[in-house]
Amino acid sequence: MFRLRTNLTDPVTFSFEGRRLTASRGDTLAAALLASGVFIFRNSPVSSAPRAPFCMIGNCYECFVQVEAMGVVQACLTEVTEGMQITKVSNQIDELGMDIKEVSKE
Amino acid sequence: MTTQLPLCDVAVIGAGPAGLTAACELAESGRDVVVLDEQGAPGGQIYKGVEKVFADRPQDIRPLGREYAEGKTLTRRFRQSGARYQPGVSVWQITSDQEPDLALGLIENGSARMLHPKHVILATGAMERPTPFEGWTLPGVMTVGAAQTLLKSSRLLPEDDVVLAGTGPLLYLYVMQLKKFGIRPQAILDTGPPLSLRTSLLGLRALITCPQAMFQGMRWLWGAGVKTNMTRGVDSLKAQGGDHLSSVSYEARGRRHELSTSLLLVHDGVIPNTWLSMSAGIKHHFNETQNCWVPEIQGAGLTSRDCISIVGDAAGIGGAEVAMLQGERVAREVDAYLEDHQHPQTSIESGVLRRQRWMRSFIDEAFPSTAQFQSPENDIVVCRCEEVTAGEIRQVTERGCMGPNQGKAFTRCGMGPCMGRKCGLTVSRLMAQVRGVSVQEVGHYRIRSPIRPITVGQLADMESILKGDNQSVLSANSS
Amino acid sequence: MTKKYFDVAVIGGGLLGSSFAYGFGQAGLSVALIDEGDNAIRTARGNFGLVWVQGKGEGMREYARWSRKSADDWGNFSAQLSELTDHDLGYHQSGGFNISLDEAELQQYLRMLEGLKADAGEEGYEYELVQGRTLAKYLPGIGEDVAGATYCPHDGHVNPLYLLRALQEGFRKHGGCYLPLSSIDQIQPLKSSGFELSSEGRQVASCERLVIAAGHGSVGLGQQVGIRIPIYPEQGQIIVTERSTEQLAYPTNMIRQTDEGTFMLGASARDVGFNSETTTDTLQDIVRRCASAFPHLRSLRIQRNWAALRIMTPDGFPVYSQSEEFPGAFAFSCHSGVTLAAVHAQDVCRWVVDGKIPTDYRCFGPERFDVSTAN
Ligand SMILES: Cc1cc2nc3c(=O)[nH]c(=O)nc-3n(C[C@H](O)[C@H](O)[C@H](O)COP(=O)(O)OP(=O)(O)OC[C@H]3O[C@@H](n4cnc5c(N)ncnc54)[C@H](O)[C@@H]3O)c2cc1C
Ligand SMILES: Cc1cc2nc3c(=O)[nH]c(=O)nc-3n(C[C@H](O)[C@H](O)[C@H](O)COP(=O)(O)OP(=O)(O)OC[C@H]3O[C@@H](n4cnc5c(N)ncnc54)[C@H](O)[C@@H]3O)c2cc1C
Ligand code: FES
């Protein structure tokens, strides 16, 4: 998609899904990830189809990622900072292991 | 820093050319102005990253172009204007006129707070028109504006296999910029119609009245066309791939073509970003020529709601030049309005502004939106968030759904996180086509806050001084 | 075409009107369902989706019984509708919890349930108090400070939007005629029998029987056929979150999870006239209560807020009436159109076909308010 950048000015280190990556200070998370060759940001909660940033100005909400201690953010509106740990947003519903039962029959 | 009272004379939302100009004018004449923007630096869409480029990447100033470099003058003036600048702040609500006072809901550093201005200027700019077509949700398909944003803010350049498709000035500007960075896209697929006599005549008028802008535009078009692989009259665009885009196919001159690529950039013009103004209950109408919803403006920038003005592309697409000229007029109007809350006599638009408008009507005519995107086929997803197809929208309309709000209730179309930003225009258009009436008659989604994400916890923890008891705060400020 | 004479015309395409129209269609009648446009005041589009029995009927035993009957019928009703239309309504009769945040709230609520139980006598009134660890087992993540909750096995929930869509779809499948963009302003009783309905001078339909179910629009329409409908708007606000991987298996009085995974938080009550704007303080009240009940849901993103107007009667119970002056004209209003959808589509449709509201149900007539005005 995009060319990898050489000689980053003022680099910061962060991680995506456990992978260590670097970006320029001031980059948005979306730019930092795309520049590092990350193409799939999340999966659609409806069909699980892969999705990635589309508009880069905060309007399509395709760039949602999970940031440690921040929660889910729009990657195109959030600046990358040193040590940031980013993961994909989970859509996985864990089985609750509890059937709906009539409480009063217990 | 001392804690600031959540009050000001004027809150400007948006630090693009329109908002910055209005803020400078008002601050320089002594008003207490707060400028809020969710970006990290001033400049808006056109001048995105301009301060950083000047500071860290001076070699990029030339290829980005003269128009871009002009943004530095504006941001420098702004930094010295005395306006309070709050970057990284998203506005998620404007209180409705049923609430005791006008206030903005803000999200900043992960927490929510309220700001109580006497007047609000919305300068929220533009966004790109939705372009539904087969495969547009695949990673590897982005808008031209998105790629250009990445270039300006982070110097991301596409690989040589990039394909561009669509129409509109921004597409040609970007191609021109790429060329100066030494990148020649694999193909440019122009979906626009050939120039008609009427557009040529409008163009002639624009050339006479706005020679500079016209020459600039011709430079872009010429620059884009020459020595690039431009194909005109493109139709039936498709993006293909598994987890990621692998190829693009299209029809031209009656034949189907296919190109393998990892990046497809699409564009179909820009439309006002009206989500905040719509959520504030301001009246809007559909502009058929620009094919978009625009707020109803009285005077220079006043709206159907007291104490809220709109300026720049958010009030109707005019481009950066118009945004700045309007920014000055709206600032003067707001300054007068703050005195007595009477609608002031509107100053007549200057000759420069009028000429800019002729220029715009030429652009509107020369780059009409793409038919394929306006009337997508039944199996095309129009709502990216909830994955609702054009066929479903047509079906519910045929079965008696009269507008997008009932359609949303029945199909979930527009209920996802983007709140209809990427399907609103398409859905109203599709319904209008089925019903055989105007888009105006079909209407638009009712937009409600929060127009930016806020969590349950953030809202629960927010300190609010609504309920009219902010009188004490107001007097604290004046003492 | 508009001249067509229908067995019955229903004015109002909200939850009540659509339930009736579907029911009449099922009974084999020719039906017109007349509705306004996209921006109408439509309560049906903004509700919480509870099929709820718990706590209902204080002061009117018949209403408790009526809600319970509908809840009991809901399973069959929903299965039939789903089968006909191929739409899943997201209906679950899981039982539901009424959460009380503090002790005072809980005691007050328990006293009310005691009263309802006493009222019900032989019929019985099932509920159970659940607290502490046991409560946490059923409602994982429930806040430690929550005083307790009562469980009622008859409660359930449904996607109200899918319900509305399915009712209209079912009605269509039964050959019904949907007439949108027709705000009825004139009801002309015909000489022998029947009615002619028009909108801005345009004839929309004529019919033998007339059912007014136009939500807040019913008041003016009722007057034209001599029916007084004492209703007023009460605003309710609701918040919906993003789809979440957290799970809440049971609906509660303040929060429930939809089949899509989103959470609905609500619903407030305010008397603000015909105003459907949300307000910051009310939304904050809602999230604060929900955040106390389920602290782990604090991180959920809010997706949408809205306000809708409940159809309230002075005592909170339905107003079902028939015109004495013009036999064949009926008007129905109530504020629990989801819960009562099953009985509306079945029992009430039968009353209309039979031509009168049975004496057992006359307690829902507007005459009950006359007593107090008379003395
Ligand atoms: C992606 C994109 C790129 C463009 N690039 C160019 C270009 O290179 N050259 C050109 O001539 N034209 C370009 N345009 C057209 C351009 O938008 C206008 O000509 C010009 O920037 C309009 O100025 P403005 O001040 O009205 O708004 P903008 O410059 O768009 O500024 C609006 C500002 O409002 C902020 N904002 C919006 N909503 C909120 C909110 N809820 N909370 C907080 N802040 C908010 C945004 O972050 C943004 O900074 C571009 C348009 C887009 C969409
Ligand atoms: C916040 C909130 C939460 C709720 N939660 C629940 C719940 O959990 N469970 C439950 O059972 N109930 C709930 N309700 C109540 C439920 O939504 C209502 O009982 C139900 O929607 C009422 O439906 P209706 O058909 O009477 O009115 P509406 O839905 O308002 O429909 C009236 C229709 O009539 C049309 N109309 C009006 N005038 C005319 C005219 N002159 N000509 C033609 N058409 C006309 C309107 O356009 C509209 O379509 C809730 C309500 C609110 C506000
Ligand atoms: S890329 Fe569109 S919202 Fe971030």
Side-chain angles (χ1 to χ4, degrees), chain C residues 12 15-16 35-36 40 42-44 47-48 50 184 214 335 337-339:
Chain C
L15 270 174
L16 261 66
D35 204 5
E36 298 179 308
R42 203 167 272 144
T43 315
N47 81 67
F48 207 61
L50 297 176
I184 300 299
H335 109 85
V338 179
T339 306

Side-chain angles (χ1 to χ4, degrees), chain B residues 324-474:
Chain B
M324 288 187 276
L325 292 165
Q326 282 288 56
E328 286 173 20
R329 284 181 80 220
V330 167
R332 280 198 297 276
E333 187 181 65
V334 169
D335 199 42
Y337 183 84
L338 279 168
E339 293 303 323
D340 54 9
H341 281 226
Q342 299 292 317
H343 280 217
Q345 193 103 67
T346 316
S347 62
I348 295 170
E349 293 195 348
S350 66
V352 197
L353 192 54
R354 271 202 313 272
R355 285 197 291 276
Q356 284 289 339
R357 291 207 193 280
W358 285 334
M359 174 72 202
R360 177 47 58 174
S361 57
F362 164 66
I363 296 180
D364 292 340
E365 285 278 342
F367 303 104
S369 39
T370 302
Q372 186 198 345
F373 303 147
Q374 290 306 303
S375 185
E377 283 172 21
N378 279 345
D379 53 352
I380 305 300
V381 165
V382 295
C383 169
R384 298 173 63 105
C385 302
E386 294 291 333
E387 306 193 12
V388 181
T389 62
E392 286 172 76
I393 298 302
R394 291 195 174 100
Q395 192 194 51
V396 294
T397 315
E398 277 155 9
R399 294 188 180 170
C401 232
M402 292 294 103
N405 292 301
Q406 191 72 40
K408 174 159 129 187
F410 283 0
T411 63
R412 294 189 64 80
C413 191
M415 272 199 195
C418 95
M419 305 183 85
R421 287 168 172 94
K422 287 284 152 241
C423 68
L425 202 55
T426 314
V427 169
S428 296
R429 165 75 64 201
L430 285 173
M431 292 186 139
Q433 284 167 354
V434 172
R435 287 185 49 199
V437 299
S438 66
V439 176
Q440 172 74 40
E441 192 172 332
V442 164
H444 192 272
Y445 290 131
R446 170 143 187 199
I447 305 301
R448 294 182 183 265
S449 77
I451 63 122
R452 279 291 184 230
I454 175 170
T455 66
V456 168
Q458 285 166 342
L459 181 57
D461 296 343
M462 182 178 77
E463 258 181 62
S464 165
I465 52 165
L466 282 171
K467 301 185 185 174
D469 60 8
N470 63 338
Q471 279 310 315
S472 52
V473 183
L474 286 170

Side-chain angles (χ1 to χ4, degrees), chain A residues 53-63 74 76:
Chain A
F54 182 70
C55 76
M56 285 304 295
I57 61 166
N59 288 326
C60 72
Y61 293 76
E62 296 287 14
C63 62
Q74 283 171 275
C76 71

Side-chain angles (χ1 to χ4, degrees), chain A residues 1-3 5 27 31 34-35 39-40 44 46-47 50-59 61-62 74, chain B residues 45 127 137 139 141-143 146 150 154 156-160 183 243-244 262-263 384-385 387 418 421 451-452:
Chain A
M1 283 173 84
F2 292 95
R3 294 184 180 182
R5 292 172 300 182
D27 277 347
L34 289 167
F39 298 147
I40 298 172
S44 150
V46 179
S47 65
R51 294 291 173 88
F54 182 70
C55 76
M56 285 304 295
I57 61 166
N59 288 326
Y61 293 76
E62 296 287 14
Q74 283 171 275
Chain B
Q45 304 310 351
M127 58 192 203
T137 56
V141 181
M142 296 179 101
T143 66
L150 286 164
S154 296
L156 275 196
L157 289 162
E159 309 237 35
D160 291 318
I183 290 177
D243 264 7
H244 189 277
S262 62
L263 182 61
R384 298 173 63 105
C385 302
E387 306 193 12
C418 95
R421 287 168 172 94
I451 63 122
R452 279 291 184 230

Side-chain angles (χ1 to χ4, degrees), chain C residues 111-177:
Chain C
R111 268 196 303 279
M112 183 179 77
L113 292 184
E114 286 299 327
L116 284 168
K117 190 170 193 158
D119 249 8
E122 302 252 296
E123 286 165 36
Y125 196 93
E126 284 169 84
Y127 69 90
E128 182 151 337
L129 174 62
V130 191
Q131 285 171 300
R133 286 245 185 91
T134 326
L135 185 58
K137 206 170 111 203
Y138 294 104
L139 304 178
I142 189 99
E144 285 176 5
D145 300 335
V146 170
T150 48
Y151 173 82
C152 166
H154 307 293
D155 295 336
H157 58 153
V158 65
N159 181 325
L161 300 177
Y162 289 173
L163 169 62
L164 185 65
R165 185 180 63 177
L167 287 168
Q168 294 195 355
E169 180 73 17
F171 155 75
R172 213 180 53 84
K173 288 216 157 152
H174 284 314
C177 176

Side-chain angles (χ1 to χ4, degrees), chain C residues 11-17 34-36 40-51 56 182-185 213-218 221 234 236-238 267-268 308-311 332 334-340:
Chain C
I11 308 180
L15 270 174
L16 261 66
I34 304 167
D35 204 5
E36 298 179 308
I41 294 178
R42 203 167 272 144
T43 315
R45 230 156 47 195
N47 81 67
F48 207 61
L50 297 176
V51 177
K56 282 191 178 155
S182 310
S183 184
I184 300 299
D185 46 28
H216 291 292
S218 295
L221 293 169
E234 182 196 79
Q237 300 186 19
I238 289 180
S268 64
L309 301 170
R310 287 195 185 84
I311 292 151
F332 301 102
C334 78
H335 109 85
S336 286
V338 179
T339 306
L340 298 179

Side-chain angles (χ1 to χ4, degrees), chain C residues 88-123:
Chain C
D88 181 7
L89 310 186
Y91 170 66
H92 308 282
Q93 191 178 25
S94 49
F97 286 89
N98 185 90
I99 300 172
S100 296
L101 291 181
D102 59 40
E103 200 54 39
E105 214 176 290
L106 181 63
Q107 291 312 325
Q108 192 187 354
Y109 194 72
L110 286 172
R111 268 196 303 279
M112 183 179 77
L113 292 184
E114 286 299 327
L116 284 168
K117 190 170 193 158
D119 249 8
E122 302 252 296
E123 286 165 36

